Every structure is written in structure tokens, then in C-alpha cells.
Amino acid sequence: MRAAVSPLRSGKGRAAALALVALTMGTALYVSRLDAIPIQPGNEAMYAFPPLRMLRTEDYLVPYYEHGPFLEKPPLTWWILAGSYKLFGTTIFAARLPGAMAALVTILVVAVWARRRAGPPAALLTALVLMYSFRFATFTRVFAADAFLTLAVTLAVMALDSAARDPDLPDGRAGVVAGLSLALAFAFKGLIGVVLPLGGVVTGLVLDRRRPERWKRRAPIAAAILLLVVAPWHLAMSRRFGATFWEQFYWRNQVLRGATAAYAHHPPGPSYYFGVLALATFPWFLLLPAVVLHRRAASSSDSAPLGWLLFGFAFLSALRMKREVYIEPLLPAFALLVGEGLGTARVSTRRARWAWAIAGIATAGGVLLWIRMAPTLTSLAGADACAALGVGLFVLSASLLATAAIRRARGGPFLVSVACGLLFIAILTVESRLSRFDPAPHWGRRIRRECGQGCEGLMLKLDFHSLDFYSRIEWREIGSVGDIRSCLTASKSFLVMRSRDEEKLDAQAIPYRVLDRRPWLQESWFQASLRPDVYPLQSLSLVALEPSDRTLPVSRRERGRDRPDGFRYISDPR
């Protein structure tokens, strides 16, 4: 046993080598293979497509999405993506690079703050904890706005905490920096960017039983700067949309979204974010109780990260609208707590070693789960990708258990970080293999070649807005085939539907042709692999419609027959 684990005891040299490998691997993971998986429907498509219209129309004030102005978010995220498209072209890489860079800058910022608070070891470990928190690594690839918000909230918490605690800081400088940081956070997501840092810093002060330094001078300066920065955008939007802007942006999106079930018909309960945080910060989550208990026993004088995490968690849990990605702005606070705890040798305590052991056992359970998933996952992603996932889980479990078994393991957290990196590579390999079951890239490029901007796109009971990005046209969701006739406005139109619903088109007097059918993995590969008795793939069809002929009479002899151009006559329901 000693021979097997001696590298972890051998001193600073090998621990430093492991740390260097972990940092290098993590940086490469965040910026490489950004285009390995297609643009995802939903949130990512909502941010990836509107900048294309901004560049085409040169109207940068208002993003347009789903056939109308999108007034629910500030525009800074779309401006950044538009700039990325301008520099690197309209590619998936350009859409995801800004979010990846924001994530790396966030890691650097929390490392700098941890160094000031607890020294270089804490800075390094804080960076690794955040870099290798499972959901932070995955969210930043597809949720650009939340990656930007996380960076802005981190900067705002640092600025506000410094303004509240540093008596030597000039009042003007403290107020200006705090106001600018709050304005930046607001510009990405609205009021949540102001509430999270303010509430977190105030909660930290309450935990420390400390009054803010000269707040009567600094707070008005910060508030004035915040209002001055955001006022021009509000005025411009008010001039164009009037009261509609205020209703959509503030009342519907900032109030109704959080306080009512208007946007969430079946909202999760108040304990929802416990499981989300545990998964998001795996495998570091179980160290949090040991760190918090140690802080309480040591009577730490600075509870800014703890206040940030507690307030944010309580605030998000109180909202009716809950989504997994909303937890992302709290992950830097978690990383600071755990990284500072590890950096001050708390990893050698009994509680921390138990945390490593439990995490290792849980990961070993993941290996057993992988065995159940293997048959379906092999058929979907290939034997090598499935095997890589199993090896990654095994290596992570072994590294966690080894760190728990050694009383003073200098390189333990670094070894765990490297193991996390290997597992993330395996997961990315699986997801890239599964991209062949997403027809949006192929269909979008085909549609763009055939008709450019002059087409209409319809989706029958599907949320497939990633097609907006690939085809460069805005697709419209419809609830039934009966809605097709009323939605067709272009000379050539396309319909995406489940293949099993093709026969429903026979009730419409519109010529159509099925251009392509492709398999589609609707649910996540994890969910699909857990049900080996259920076939995981559905078939989607791309259908070409010709609305210009919808008014032509169709003779009884022509019904159901093919036309010379390849379209099929459909019987008139009348």
C-alpha cells in the first residue's frame, strides 16, 4: 500500500507536477473542441441566433427571437456574441468561445481573491475546485449568458465586499468600482445581477456581526454610477417600445417569472437546489460541511463567500421558477470556501477524509451504474467511448479513495483534479459521438443552400430552435397540422415533424415532399441508457411544402399521385 501511494507523500515536487498537469488539462478542456456537439435547442439557441440578425440589420439595440423583439433580457450577451461572429465567423466555435473565456477569467478572479484572503495554496486549490466542478465545466459550454453573469457577479461581490470592509479605500474609488460592477452584472441578466452580490455581501457582514465601512458615503456613489450606466439603455428602449418594454422586462420577466408559476406550471419544491448543488460541485460537495464546521470552530473573521452562497441558495430556492443553470453564479462562492479550506491544511482532518471516502464510494456506485448503462450506451456512442467513460469513473473513484486513505496527502486534491479531467474528456467524447443523432446541423445547412433567407420554417410540436442558427431563418412552433395553412407566408416552406405523424399531412390540401428522415435522441444519453428495455431513438422528418399551389384545384384522378416535380398531391379535405 505504501508503494502505491508514496507519490502522494513524497513532498511538494510531485504535488506541484500534478497541479500543473491539472491546470493545463483544465485550460485545454475549456477552450478546445468547442464545436464537438451541435448548438443545443432552448437557451443556447436563444442566444446564438439573434446576433446573426443584429449583424445583418445593424440594429444592435433589440434582439429578435421567435418572430418578434425579445425584451426580457439586457442585450450585452448578444453584443458579445455578435462581436465574436464578426471576428471568427458565424460558427459554433465563435458562439461558445466567449462563454469559455468568461469561465476561465472567473477561475482566475476567484484564485486572485483566494490568494489575498488565504495565500497561494488556497488560490491554486480554489481555481482547481471551480475548474473541475462538474456543472461549471458543462454549463459554460452552452449557457453563455450565465457564464457572463457568473463572472460579473463574482467581480461585484469582490468590489462590494472590499467597499464594505476596507477602511483605507478612498470612498470615491470604492463607490465607483462597486457601481460599475453592479451595472455589468445587470447588463447580462437584469435585477438578479444586482440582488445576488448585494444580498451575499450583506449576509456575510451579518454573519461576521460587522457594520459596513462608511456606507453612507460609498453607497450613494455606487447607486449613482449604477443608474448612470444603465439609464441610456432604458431610455432607448422606452423611446422605441414605450410601456411595453417596462411591462415585459420588469413585470413579466423580473417579477412574474420568479414570484409566480406563470413560467413554471409544475415548479420544483424548495429543496430542489440541494441536489442541483451536489451534482454541480461533484466531487467536492461533501467537503463543504467539514469546511463550514471548521470555520465555525475557528471563528473566521471574513464570511463573504459563505454569505454569498447562503443568500444565493436561499433566494433561488424561494423563487417559483427554478432551473439547474441558475445555480452557476454561486459556484465561485463554493469554490472559495472549499479551496480555502483545503489550502489551510483542513484536508487532513477526520471530517475531510470521511468526505473524500464517501465521494469515492459514491463514484464507485457510478461505476456500477455504468455497467447497467453500457449496452445502450455502446449502441449509441460506440464501445470505445463507453469504455472511456467507465475508465474515467473508475480512476476518479480510485483517486478519491486514495486521498481518503492517506493521512497527509499533499497531492490528493491535485490527483482528484486530474481524474476529473479524464472523466470530463470521456463525457465530451460520448456527447460528440451522439451528435450524429441531432439532425439540425445537416438540415440547417441544406435549407440554407436551397433558399437562404426566403423560406418559412415550421416545427410540429417540437422545440428545435437550434435550426434557427444553422438555417439562418426563424422557425415557428405549431401545435397541429391544421395550423400549417395559416402559418405559410413564403413561396417555399419546410416542416420538421416526427416521422410517425407524416400521415396527418394527408388531411391538408398542400403539396409536400419528405426530403429526409433521421434518427433523433430526444432525451439525454444518461436517461436513455438507464432504460435498456426502451428504444432510445425517434425518427424525425424534414418535409418540403409548396404553399403557392395550395389554391390550385386538385382533380380526383390526381389525388395521392406524384407530380412531375416530385411533390405529392394531397387530397382536399373539403
Side-chain angles (χ1 to χ4, degrees), residues 246-328:
W246 295 90
E247 179 186 1
Q248 289 286 339
F249 182 75
Y250 280 103
W251 177 244
R252 291 185 178 274
N253 188 59
Q254 308 290 322
V255 178
L256 294 183
R257 179 181 290 272
T260 71
Y263 289 82
H265 300 295
H266 302 286
S271 62
Y272 171 75
Y273 284 113
F274 281 101
V276 170
L277 183 63
L279 178 62
T281 57
F282 190 83
W284 314 97
F285 177 75
L286 292 171
L287 290 167
L288 184 62
V291 170
V292 172
L293 289 173
H294 188 280
R295 289 179 62 87
R296 182 179 178 183
S299 299
S300 175
S301 60
D302 187 347
S303 300
L306 182 59
W308 178 5
L309 182 63
L310 289 178
F311 173 81
F313 192 88
F315 178 78
L316 294 176
S317 298
L319 298 179
R320 296 295 300 275
M321 181 69 176
K322 294 181 175 66
R323 293 184 61 203
E324 191 177 0
V325 71
Y326 290 173
I327 203 74
E328 187 175 355

Side-chain angles (χ1 to χ4, degrees), residues 442-443 446 499 502 514-518 540-543:
H442 178 78
W443 287 351
R446 177 174 181 172
S499 299
E502 286 179 14
V514 177
L515 301 178
D516 194 16
R517 297 185 183 93
R518 287 181 177 260
L540 292 186
S541 298
L542 176 65
V543 179

Side-chain angles (χ1 to χ4, degrees), residues 392-432:
L393 288 168
F394 177 80
V395 171
L396 179 57
S397 177
S399 66
L400 289 165
L401 293 174
T403 304
I406 303 169
R407 185 172 181 80
R408 295 187 182 277
R410 289 181 181 272
F414 308 131
L415 181 62
V416 171
S417 298
V418 172
C420 286
L422 295 175
L423 179 59
F424 292 171
I425 291 173
I427 293 174
L428 182 59
T429 301
V430 170
E431 292 181 342
S432 63

Side-chain angles (χ1 to χ4, degrees), residues 205-475:
L205 292 171
V206 171
L207 291 174
D208 294 336
R209 300 179 182 179
R210 179 171 177 174
R211 292 176 58 87
E213 297 288 341
R214 297 198 295 276
W215 65 273
K216 291 184 179 180
R217 297 181 182 179
R218 298 176 178 182
I221 297 174
I225 294 297
L226 170 62
L227 293 176
L228 284 174
V229 173
V230 303
W233 176 69
H234 283 79
L235 292 174
M237 295 295 287
S238 297
R239 290 185 63 182
R240 181 176 294 193
F241 297 102
T244 302
F245 160 69
W246 295 90
E247 179 186 1
Q248 289 286 339
F249 182 75
Y250 280 103
W251 177 244
R252 291 185 178 274
N253 188 59
Q254 308 290 322
V255 178
L256 294 183
R257 179 181 290 272
T260 71
Y263 289 82
H265 300 295
H266 302 286
S271 62
Y272 171 75
Y273 284 113
F274 281 101
V276 170
L277 183 63
L279 178 62
T281 57
F282 190 83
W284 314 97
F285 177 75
L286 292 171
L287 290 167
L288 184 62
V291 170
V292 172
L293 289 173
H294 188 280
R295 289 179 62 87
R296 182 179 178 183
S299 299
S300 175
S301 60
D302 187 347
S303 300
L306 182 59
W308 178 5
L309 182 63
L310 289 178
F311 173 81
F313 192 88
F315 178 78
L316 294 176
S317 298
L319 298 179
R320 296 295 300 275
M321 181 69 176
K322 294 181 175 66
R323 293 184 61 203
E324 191 177 0
V325 71
Y326 290 173
I327 203 74
E328 187 175 355
L330 307 185
L331 299 186
F334 172 89
L336 281 163
L337 287 170
V338 175
E340 290 177 6
L342 293 172
T344 51
R346 296 167 203 167
V347 70
S348 62
T349 64
R350 180 177 299 180
R351 292 192 187 98
R353 292 178 64 194
W354 272 107
W356 290 120
I358 295 172
I361 294 171
T363 309
V367 175
L368 298 178
L369 197 62
W370 167 80
I371 295 174
R372 174 180 172 83
M373 297 165 57
T376 302
L377 192 58
T378 298
S379 65
L380 292 174
D384 55 341
C386 181
L389 181 63
V391 171
L393 288 168
F394 177 80
V395 171
L396 179 57
S397 177
S399 66
L400 289 165
L401 293 174
T403 304
I406 303 169
R407 185 172 181 80
R408 295 187 182 277
R410 289 181 181 272
F414 308 131
L415 181 62
V416 171
S417 298
V418 172
C420 286
L422 295 175
L423 179 59
F424 292 171
I425 291 173
I427 293 174
L428 182 59
T429 301
V430 170
E431 292 181 342
S432 63
R433 294 287 183 84
L434 295 175
S435 63
R436 62 194 178 103
F437 298 120
D438 186 348
H442 178 78
W443 287 351
R445 288 190 293 266
R446 177 174 181 172
I447 293 168
R448 194 164 75 246
R449 286 195 305 266
E450 291 189 9
C451 64
Q453 299 291 330
C455 293
E456 182 83 21
L458 303 176
M459 301 176 290
L460 179 59
K461 296 181 180 179
L462 292 170
D463 180 6
F464 228 63
H465 281 288
S466 53
L467 276 169
D468 294 3
F469 177 84
Y470 290 107
S471 65
R472 306 295 194 263
I473 62 175
E474 291 186 83
W475 289 68

